């Protein structure tokens, strides 16, 4: 029997820690405000608003370069506090402002939290498991940006740890909250056999500069962008169909050239064969059975991410 939740008390309001200080968190990159559509970030802004509404208490932020924090605070002051009424932008930071590099600062920040507090992880993909594991073992609830991890083994381990430590662990796949995507997902179960799915996402080449530190080293464009539509399609196909084979193809050349000099792929296409649970029917053309394609080779325009998707079922 479900218990009715009462009003939040002062002692039940959690503190919040953000691990990561990049564009999606703060909107501050390479010494200035981002030129993308995330000029003031997303994660910190949302937490400042939740704090304003009394839903979180202390906000902390952990990175590796403490000398960035005075600039981030100035950025928040100008872009958020002086723009949004009643919005405070104070936060504790790790490492200290005079520390140029401390890759273990997130450990110190986690130790400052209490059980039941919240942790938001927005770092390069290869660090997600390590940081989420450390937070879970301390009894902290965790939200990790997509992809939550890079291997099935790590995924299973986080799930096991979350159960053992009685905490919530979730992946931030915000397409699920998009009204258009949510509407499509609600319609799919009423259709017949799944037959065709196609999706496309791209980002401007300028983002290669933003992500140069990890692109092609710690992760790739498929983990970073394809994960959106991989998640959406698997979500829509629950109990209806299952994947039985996957292959991938890539193209390169643009990222490796000037001025990016990134040894990474320009685009990666996933082709997956699915089988319908009831009929056992397969999609006829493997390349079109399911294609999640993402890439960098797009000129800058007013939108940071370009995307489209299409799903078909049998009549």
């Amino acid at each position: 029997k479900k218990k009715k939740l009462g009003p939040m008390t002062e002692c039940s309001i959690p503190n919040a820690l953000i691990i990561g200080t990049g564009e999606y968190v703060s909107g501050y990159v390479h010494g200035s405000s981002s030129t993308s559509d995330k000029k003031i970030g997303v994660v910190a802004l949302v937490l400042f608003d939740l704090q304003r509404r009394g839903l979180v208490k202390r906000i902390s932020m952990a990175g590796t370069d403490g000398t960035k924090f005075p600039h981030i605070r100035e950025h928040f002051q100008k872009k958020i506090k002086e723009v949004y009424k009643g919005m405070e932008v104070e936060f504790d930071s790790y490492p200290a402002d005079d520390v140029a590099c401390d890759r273990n600062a997130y450990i110190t920040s986690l130790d400052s939290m209490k059980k039941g507090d919240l942790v938001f992880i927005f770092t390069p993909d290869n660090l997600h498991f390590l940081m989420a594991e450390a937070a879970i073992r301390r009894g902290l609830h965790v939200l990790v940006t997509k992809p939550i991890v890079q291997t099935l083994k790590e995924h299973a381990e986080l799930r096991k740890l979350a159960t053992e430590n009685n905490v919530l662990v979730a992946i931030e796949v915000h397409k699920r909250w998009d009204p258009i995507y949510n509407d499509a997902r609600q319609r799919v179960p009423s259709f017949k056999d799944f037959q065709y799915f196609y999706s496309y996402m791209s980002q401007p080449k300028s983002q290669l500069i933003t992500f140069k530190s990890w692109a092609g080293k710690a992760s790739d464009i498929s983990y970073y962008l394809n994960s959106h539509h991989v998640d959406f399609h698997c979500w829509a196909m629950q109990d209806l169909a299952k994947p039985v084979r996957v292959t991938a193809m890539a193209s390169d050349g643009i990222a490796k050239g000037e001025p990016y000099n990134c040894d990474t792929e320009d685009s990666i296409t996933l082709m997956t064969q699915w089988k319908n649970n009831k009929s056992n029917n397969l999609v006829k053309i493997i390349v079109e059975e399911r294609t999640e394609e993402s890439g960098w080779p797009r000129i800058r325009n007013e939108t940071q991410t370009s995307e489209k998707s299409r799903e078909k079922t049998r009549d």
Side-chain angles (χ1 to χ4, degrees):
K1 187 176 180 180
K2 292 184 177 179
K3 294 182 179 180
K4 186 176 180 181
L5 298 177
M8 293 183 70
T9 62
E10 178 65 24
C11 63
S12 69
I13 299 174
N15 300 308
L17 165 66
I18 309 169
I19 303 179
T21 62
E23 180 180 55
Y24 201 66
V25 170
S26 67
Y28 185 84
V29 291
H30 303 302
S32 63
S33 176
S34 171
T35 57
S36 75
D37 58 352
K38 297 177 178 62
K39 294 178 175 59
I40 56 175
V42 176
V43 184
L45 175 65
V46 169
L47 285 174
F48 291 144
D49 179 57
L50 291 175
Q51 186 183 60
R52 176 174 62 173
R53 293 191 278 153
L55 298 176
V56 299
K57 288 194 292 187
R58 178 173 62 93
I59 296 174
S60 302
M61 191 178 300
T64 57
D65 182 359
T67 64
K68 290 172 55 178
F69 286 122
H71 305 291
I72 291 175
R73 288 188 173 89
E74 182 181 3
H75 170 73
F76 284 160
Q77 176 71 25
K78 293 180 179 178
K79 302 293 184 178
I80 298 179
K81 184 172 183 178
E82 295 178 7
V83 175
Y84 294 91
K85 184 178 180 180
M87 190 88 83
E88 297 299 326
V89 293
E90 286 77 19
F91 64 92
D92 296 338
S93 56
Y94 303 84
D97 292 358
D98 60 350
V99 177
C101 183
D102 180 358
R103 299 193 181 281
N104 291 315
Y106 76 94
I107 295 293
T108 306
S109 68
L110 287 172
D111 288 339
S112 74
M113 310 297 281
K114 59 180 177 60
K115 285 189 175 183
D117 281 344
L118 314 176
V119 179
F120 301 83
I121 300 174
F122 288 80
T123 61
D125 302 341
N126 64 313
L127 300 176
H128 292 177
F129 175 78
L130 184 69
M131 294 174 171
E133 178 188 26
I136 293 168
R137 290 187 183 279
R138 287 166 171 77
L140 306 172
H141 303 297
V142 184
L143 179 68
V144 188
T145 188
K146 46 75 187 167
I148 189 167
V149 289
Q150 292 179 300
T151 69
L152 181 60
K153 180 180 178 181
E154 291 176 340
H155 186 105
E157 180 63 17
L158 287 191
R159 181 174 180 177
K160 176 174 174 287
L161 287 171
T163 301
E164 292 174 350
N165 290 274
N166 194 32
V167 297
L168 295 174
V169 179
I171 177 174
E172 189 267 345
V173 276
H174 47 265
K175 297 295 179 201
R176 292 197 180 200
W177 306 104
D178 187 308
I180 295 176
Y181 280 81
N182 190 274
D183 178 71
R185 195 267 175 178
Q186 299 304 320
R187 293 170 184 264
V188 166
S190 66
F191 299 156
K192 296 182 180 179
D193 272 6
F194 157 59
Q195 187 181 33
Y196 172 83
F197 179 87
Y198 170 81
S199 68
Y200 166 84
M201 293 187 76
S202 69
Q203 289 201 321
K205 292 178 288 186
S206 59
Q207 287 295 101
L208 278 166
I209 297 175
T210 300
F211 302 130
K212 189 174 182 177
S213 63
W214 59 259
K217 302 170 186 175
S219 190
D220 58 41
I221 190 66
S222 183
Y223 278 117
Y224 174 67
L225 277 187
N226 276 342
S227 51
H228 270 306
H229 285 119
V230 169
D231 173 76
F232 169 74
H233 189 248
C234 290
W235 183 41
M237 289 293 103
Q238 286 180 348
D239 301 323
L240 301 177
K242 60 183 179 183
V244 294
R245 184 172 65 171
V246 61
T247 59
M249 298 184 70
S251 62
D252 59 17
I254 294 176
K256 293 180 178 179
E258 296 289 346
Y260 313 109
N261 298 312
C262 289
D263 187 16
T264 190
E265 300 86 354
D266 294 334
S267 65
I268 297 176
T269 300
L270 306 181
M271 293 159 286
T272 311
Q273 188 171 51
W274 285 69
K275 178 184 287 188
N276 288 283
N277 289 342
K278 289 185 177 180
S279 67
N280 286 327
N281 288 333
L282 299 173
V283 177
K284 296 178 180 178
I285 303 174
I286 295 176
V287 173
E288 292 186 348
E289 284 175 22
R290 176 176 169 189
T291 303
E292 274 87 27
E293 180 178 17
S294 61
W296 303 109
R298 187 173 64 81
I299 60 174
R300 182 195 300 272
N301 60 21
E302 71 281 359
T303 305
Q304 184 188 20
T305 303
S306 175
E307 60 186 275
K308 60 182 177 182
S309 63
R310 181 170 54 184
E311 186 153 5
K312 291 177 65 177
T313 59
R314 301 184 194 280
D315 295 334

